Amino acid sequence: MRKFLGLAAVLLLAACGNGAASGNAAGDTAEKSIRIAYQAFPSGDLVVKNQGLLEKALPDYTITWTKFDSGASINTAFVAKSVDIAAIGSSPVARGLSAPLNIPYQVAFVLDVAGDNEALVARNGSGVTDVAGLRGKKVATPFASTAHYSLLAALNQAGIKESELTIVDLEPQDIQAAWTRGDLDAAYTWLPSLDEIKKTGTVLISSRQLATAGKPTLDLGVVSTAFAQAHPEAVDAWRKAEAQALNLIASDPAAAATSIGAELNLSPADAQKQLSQGVFLKPADLAGDEWLGTEAKVGKLADNLVSAAQFLKDQQKIDAVPDLATVQKAIYVKGLPDVLG
């Protein structure tokens, strides 16, 4: 974690170089602006971006979308107060809510539940046929991501210590390059890079299987607490836009895939195939007891995040686990379920 914080300035500069706007602080109401961090994986978030749903809903706001490659760099941006809303995995959120980061943000949406769209793949010719075969091998994954969390869970399930193999920190696009060079024996990553490495590899375990075994991972929408307090109407509009995208995925996946494909430089057919590998909730489900819950009763998503934090603490990845009450306060349930109706 000390290394992570030491890299904060470097990562922030990298993010700015990728198109991030400096903007105002989240609590500054002098200018109506929203700085959104997105990631290049198939989800309703890309539909919202591609179709300009939020821009249509909030014509008085200046909205800036910035691409990030992982949840770790998004957490860094939140620490630097340079982003207001983000698409980020549940594992980096669990880290962000834990010491020493203690990032003041709240979970306000569930973009998807990881299924076959995240998986551990062994490269053909590596001699690895199961998770236990990774001993002594070189495996890549983006550190502090849901894939990293799932890799550790898979190793734990197979009785393998982290010290028994070499785990390297690579972003998805770098995994593809290293894979092509033959530098890796295996990798845990997500779409669209997952589809590329599967062409010359074999899936050992997927996040869908790990979820069944009690280690689910999610892609979440989070909002800075300061921004939510200053602009609750904008948060409502963003949640409605994300709900609209979920409805489109359910009712017309081909149309959703066309938007997603345009964002990922994929054909609509390939985008629809990738989209089918994730698990997408109905907007009404989000206010259920299993997920966000309501103002009257926060849902079990808080328990999921505490469980993830406990696992990360056991793996010596964070300093301390936040208590359930603290995490429940970090679930943004204002207006639920009516706001998504």
Side-chain angles (χ1 to χ4, degrees):
M1 294 306 299
R2 285 193 297 270
K3 179 181 178 183
F4 169 79
L5 291 171
L7 286 172
V10 175
L11 289 171
L12 181 58
L13 287 172
C16 290
N18 200 21
S22 57
N24 292 335
D28 187 352
T29 56
E31 179 186 346
K32 289 185 174 182
S33 64
I34 309 176
R35 300 159 302 171
I36 302 177
Y38 76 98
Q39 296 192 63
F41 55 77
S43 73
D45 199 43
L46 294 186
V47 174
V48 173
K49 178 180 183 295
N50 180 261
Q51 297 189 6
L53 299 182
L54 192 56
E55 287 81 355
K56 294 172 185 175
L58 297 172
D60 294 336
Y61 278 76
T62 299
I63 300 171
T64 303
W65 293 79
T66 301
K67 179 183 173 184
F68 285 77
D69 293 322
S70 69
S73 56
I74 289 175
N75 273 342
T76 301
F78 271 112
V79 169
K81 299 182 180 180
S82 62
V83 65
D84 304 311
I85 294 175
I88 182 172
S90 54
S91 179
V93 169
R95 284 174 179 257
L97 295 175
S98 303
L101 293 181
N102 298 312
I103 298 173
Y105 57 31
Q106 294 176 284
V107 179
F109 210 84
V110 179
L111 298 173
D112 66 80
V113 181
D116 299 319
N117 52 348
E118 282 193 5
L120 174 61
V121 181
R123 187 174 54 81
N124 293 343
S126 65
V128 178
T129 57
D130 55 21
V131 179
L134 292 175
R135 287 186 175 89
K137 301 296 185 179
K138 187 176 183 180
V139 184
T141 195
F143 280 12
S145 67
T146 51
H148 189 196
Y149 171 88
S150 295
L151 172 60
L152 296 177
L155 295 175
N156 185 62
Q157 187 183 83
I160 302 174
K161 296 179 180 178
E162 192 175 347
S163 59
E164 293 182 274
L165 66 160
T166 300
I167 302 178
V168 294
D169 179 15
L170 292 177
E171 300 292 358
Q173 70 274 15
D174 297 323
I175 286 176
Q176 284 185 233
W179 189 274
T180 301
R181 294 193 301 268
D183 294 345
L184 303 172
D185 298 302
Y188 209 124
T189 187
W190 54 79
L191 294 172
S193 63
L194 174 61
D195 263 4
E196 290 302 313
I197 68 173
K198 280 167 61 176
K199 293 176 182 177
T200 53
T202 302
V203 173
L204 302 180
I205 194 168
S206 72
S207 294
R208 186 188 299 273
Q209 292 168 282
L210 288 167
T212 303
K215 287 289 184 288
T217 52
L218 318 162
D219 288 315
L220 304 172
V222 300
V223 58
S224 135
T225 301
F227 182 85
Q229 291 172 347
H231 303 282
E233 78 292 340
V235 177
D236 286 352
W238 166 69
R239 289 188 293 180
K240 288 178 185 291
E242 293 288 354
Q244 185 178 341
L246 284 183
N247 283 330
L248 185 65
I249 290 172
S251 65
D252 194 347
T258 298
S259 291
I260 291 169
E263 293 295 324
L264 298 177
N265 294 318
L266 296 173
S267 69
D270 285 343
Q272 189 166 354
K273 180 182 177 183
Q274 291 193 7
L275 197 60
S276 69
Q277 297 178 55
V279 178
F280 298 93
L281 305 175
K282 296 177 181 178
D285 294 339
L286 270 64
D289 185 57
E290 191 68 23
W291 305 109
L292 297 173
T294 65
E295 291 186 79
K297 183 183 179 183
V298 176
K300 294 179 182 177
L301 176 58
D303 300 78
N304 175 288
L305 292 171
V306 171
S307 177
Q310 183 60 60
F311 180 80
L312 292 170
K313 176 64 168 61
D314 293 343
Q315 298 290 324
Q316 299 181 334
K317 301 301 179 184
I318 59 175
D319 292 350
V321 179
D323 59 51
L324 179 60
T326 297
V327 177
Q328 286 176 332
K329 291 178 182 177
I331 307 297
Y332 189 81
V333 291
K334 184 177 181 179
L336 293 179
D338 296 341
V339 74
L340 297 181

